Amino acid sequence: MDFKKFLPWIIAVVVIIGIYGWVKGINNTAVTLNQNVEQSWGDVQTAYQRRNDLIGNLVNTVKGAADFEKSTLTAVIEARAKATSTTIDPTNITPEKLAEFNKAQSGVSSSLSRLLVTVEQYPDLKANQNFLKLQDELASTENQILTARTRFNEAVKPYNSHIKTFPNSLFAGLFGFKEKAYFNSVEGADKPVEVKF
């Protein structure tokens, strides 16, 4: 048997199997990293959902104060409604969609801050145990949101690095993997907060 005759075929098969394994590795790693990003995005949405649920309870508690400023409550309710209607498909997180989501959530934070500042004028409400518990839970939830957003960015980094580095970038587009956006601070967050007494 003459192995020299089959040597080119053997080399070709080994090269094809090697290329297949290499491309398969690029794809499978991208799939795994993408799943990590989607899970992290789910954690972000869960944290925001918790805040929205707490806001509903907070608003109902505050409504009990008959003379409480209705415009402040209305602003919180409207911001919450807008935030819950803004959704993002985790498979297609673009910078524009993330900015829109971030803006809606920022509106909730802003109106909620105004509500909590206004509450200071209502001693009975400030002493309400349900209100105090909800206020503590909201503070805890804001920390959970920050943590979830940070972990989301930490999951996006290895995914983006994997699909953007050469030669992975040659195949990532063919397999449908696109760069994911990072959470950034909301517009104006770089400016100091104005405090009025």
Side-chain angles (χ1 to χ4, degrees), residues 88-194:
I88 296 180
D89 175 9
T91 60
N92 189 24
I93 300 174
T94 63
E96 296 79 22
K97 290 180 182 178
L98 196 55
E100 180 185 337
F101 179 85
N102 214 10
K103 184 176 179 186
Q105 295 301 334
S106 175
V108 173
S109 296
S110 177
S111 62
L112 189 57
S113 294
R114 284 193 303 276
L115 173 70
L116 295 176
V117 166
T118 306
V119 163
E120 293 297 316
Q121 301 168 11
Y122 296 85
D124 291 343
L125 189 55
K126 280 176 31 180
N128 180 310
Q129 290 303 309
N130 286 340
F131 180 80
L132 293 173
K133 183 176 180 227
L134 287 167
Q135 198 173 11
D136 285 345
E137 286 185 37
L138 274 171
S140 170
T141 300
E142 290 299 327
N143 288 333
Q144 289 174 3
I145 289 170
L146 175 62
T147 300
R149 287 173 54 142
T150 301
R151 288 184 180 154
F152 173 78
N153 282 349
E154 289 170 355
V156 167
K157 183 180 179 182
Y159 169 82
N160 282 349
S161 295
H162 179 74
I163 67 162
K164 290 182 75 176
T165 54
F166 183 82
N168 299 358
S169 57
L170 297 174
F171 298 100
L174 293 174
F175 296 140
F177 294 105
K178 298 175 188 164
E179 183 178 5
K180 306 272 188 199
Y182 288 98
F183 256 112
N184 293 316
S185 61
V186 293
E187 191 175 317
D190 56 335
K191 297 181 178 100
V193 177
E194 183 180 339

Side-chain angles (χ1 to χ4, degrees), residues 19-105:
I19 290 173
Y20 169 78
W22 175 64
V23 171
K24 180 179 151 191
I26 291 172
N27 181 67
N28 290 349
T29 301
V31 166
T32 300
L33 293 172
N34 188 48
Q35 287 300 306
N36 291 342
V37 170
E38 289 185 21
Q39 177 193 357
S40 294
W41 179 248
D43 293 343
V44 167
Q45 289 183 308
T46 299
Y48 277 116
Q49 183 61 52
R50 175 177 159 75
R51 179 175 74 174
N52 288 332
D53 293 345
L54 288 171
I55 288 172
N57 293 335
L58 184 72
V59 166
N60 288 334
T61 302
V62 171
K63 277 183 184 176
D67 60 342
F68 195 81
E69 298 170 23
K70 301 295 182 210
S71 62
T72 306
L73 278 176
T74 303
V76 171
I77 293 166
E78 288 173 358
R80 177 181 175 237
K82 184 176 180 182
T84 55
S85 68
T86 305
T87 58
I88 296 180
D89 175 9
T91 60
N92 189 24
I93 300 174
T94 63
E96 296 79 22
K97 290 180 182 178
L98 196 55
E100 180 185 337
F101 179 85
N102 214 10
K103 184 176 179 186
Q105 295 301 334

